[in-house]
Amino acid sequence: MINELIFPKPDDMHLHLREDELLKVVSKHSAAQFGRAIIMPNLQNPIINSELAHKYYDEVKNHTKVHDFEPLMTIYFNEKLTLEELKRIQISSKIIGIKLYPKGVTTNSNKGIDSFNSGYKIFEMMEKLDIPLLIHGEVNDPNIDIFDREKIFIEKNLINAHKEFPDLRIVLEHISTKESTEFVKETSNNIAATITPQHLLYNRNELFAGGLKPHAFCLPVLKREEHRVAVLGAAISGNPKFFLGTDSAPHKKSEKESSCGCAGIYSALNAMEIYAEIFDRNNAIEKLENFSSKFGADFYRLSQNKNKIKLVRSSNKVPNSIKIDNGEVIPLLAGQEINWNCSAV
Ligand code: NCD
Ligand code: ZN
């Protein structure tokens, strides 16, 4: 039995750090475990250009000074992105890619694009400049069943876009379905996917286990067991196209426990311990290192982090709640015991 692992600091390839008070608290949690993280641009005022991304970078750095942590910024896909702006994005060492939200699919996506094909002119320029496109892969048609929105996004949009722009590197974020795992596996090496802890741990029953569970609500919404099993299979397969992205997305408790609760699960405080728990429970702990510290870096053409983390098998209780000014955030697995502890070496 493996009781201790030491490996290069992992990268969280999909992270929400928010702004103000939340940013101050949650950025430190990620910085304590991860060497780098890709920071999502869906703030209340989205990060729509390189100037805003550089300002946000400085804020994140300011809050994470004591750690060896590098935020990798993203731009919110928008139709105002000109060739000049794309060139600025390409040469910035602080910006890693552009994140596309179909309008209305998730938190702060009301400035997203309504028709996927309207992005083609910009995709073409991104392909030439070799700027990665990160996608929230769900259709925004309210008439489509919410459990089918990811699958239909692939059929209707992604297959065509990849045919049209085969050299564009695309990351399908937070995959939640069997269809996504198949699409990514079968397509070229320019297509990869991030995987969250919640899509590995739970199927959709979790949303209704003993009553309505707002803290299990995220987007893409949890799916049937066969999908969880497929996503888990992809994560522990050792296939380099699947890598770690927590999608840690904090919302205040009062905003989740509400008549119209926000989507998003907070996992950053114990992210590596939770992934270790999941891989270990599935007899795949030896696959954790590459999933966390290598495959994502390779896809984004980054070298691995120099510093290391240590994961030790020992009991660890996830806190019931995390205090912030004027409220609290409830973490994934709140109050539950897990069997791993993570520290910087
Ligand atoms: C994210 C958020 O709250 O910003 N929510 C979520 O449920 N995952 C946005 C997103 O990644 O969809
Ligand atoms: Zn997200």
Side-chain angles (χ1 to χ4, degrees), residues 10-273:
D11 297 314
D12 183 350
M13 295 309 194
H14 184 129
L15 177 65
H16 299 270
L17 288 182
R18 314 299 194 205
E19 22 205 344
D20 307 324
E21 169 64 13
L22 265 177
L23 168 65
K24 196 172 101 193
V25 175
V26 304
S27 57
K28 292 184 177 64
H29 295 166
S30 289
Q33 301 205 337
F34 291 94
R36 292 171 295 218
I38 296 187
I39 312 304
M40 292 297 134
N42 63 330
L43 305 191
Q44 272 159 18
N45 289 316
I47 305 296
I48 51 170
N49 57 42
S50 53
E51 193 189 336
L52 289 172
H54 288 144
K55 267 199 204 136
Y56 191 29
Y57 172 93
D58 290 341
E59 274 184 62
V60 175
K61 279 299 259 188
N62 211 11
H63 288 299
T64 52
K65 268 191 229 124
V66 296
H67 297 280
D68 158 45
F69 177 74
E70 196 56 22
L72 307 168
M73 311 312 288
T74 56
I75 306 294
Y76 193 106
F77 190 98
N78 64 90
E79 283 160 23
K80 294 205 182 105
L81 288 168
T82 59
L83 181 60
E84 291 66 46
E85 181 57 23
L86 290 172
K87 284 183 178 160
R88 282 192 279 275
I89 290 167
Q90 183 208 27
I91 59 168
S92 169
S93 59
K94 296 172 181 160
I95 303 173
I96 193 99
I98 300 181
K99 174 71 188 286
L100 183 146
Y101 294 95
K103 190 184 176 85
V105 289
T106 192
T107 310
N108 296 337
S109 62
N110 54 339
K111 301 210 173 85
I113 58 169
D114 209 9
S115 137
F116 188 73
N117 289 15
S118 67
Y120 270 35
K121 273 206 192 98
I122 298 172
F123 298 165
E124 192 181 344
M125 294 188 272
M126 289 173 66
E127 182 185 40
K128 289 209 179 92
L129 295 170
D130 196 21
I131 300 172
L133 175 66
L134 290 62
I135 298 185
H136 184 115
E138 291 191 286
V139 288
N140 62 358
D141 179 349
N143 296 315
I144 307 263
D145 190 292
I146 193 165
F147 294 97
D148 295 333
R149 288 181 194 170
E150 184 174 290
K151 170 174 163 287
I152 292 178
F153 183 86
I154 295 173
E155 291 165 5
K156 202 172 143 224
N157 298 323
L158 204 49
I159 292 175
N160 295 335
H162 177 56
K163 270 201 199 116
E164 201 72 28
F165 310 106
D167 294 329
L168 178 62
R169 278 183 292 152
I170 296 177
V171 182
L172 187 54
E173 299 291 337
H174 40 50
I175 55 168
S176 65
T177 57
K178 191 166 154 223
E179 289 80 7
S180 288
T181 64
E182 285 163 1
F183 172 75
V184 172
K185 269 185 230 161
E186 288 160 9
T187 319
S188 87
N189 287 339
N190 286 330
I191 308 282
T194 53
I195 297 184
T196 76
Q198 59 267 23
H199 293 106
L200 296 172
L201 279 169
Y202 300 132
N203 64 38
R204 66 191 194 178
N205 287 344
E206 184 64 20
L207 283 160
F208 309 104
L212 191 59
K213 302 281 260 324
H215 298 291
F217 177 48
C218 65
L219 288 164
V221 71
L222 299 168
K223 305 293 191 302
R224 283 179 182 277
E225 178 64 3
E226 64 174 311
H227 297 290
R228 185 194 72 84
V229 169
V231 175
L232 175 67
I236 65 175
S237 66
N239 183 331
K241 298 172 128 209
F242 299 100
F243 46 81
L244 186 157
T246 60
D247 193 18
S248 176
H251 292 278
K252 275 191 190 167
K253 180 180 173 195
S254 55
E255 282 161 13
K256 289 201 58 83
E257 297 180 8
S258 138
S259 62
C260 188
C262 296
I265 295 180
Y266 187 64
S267 61
L269 179 68
N270 292 104
M272 280 313 296
E273 288 115 343

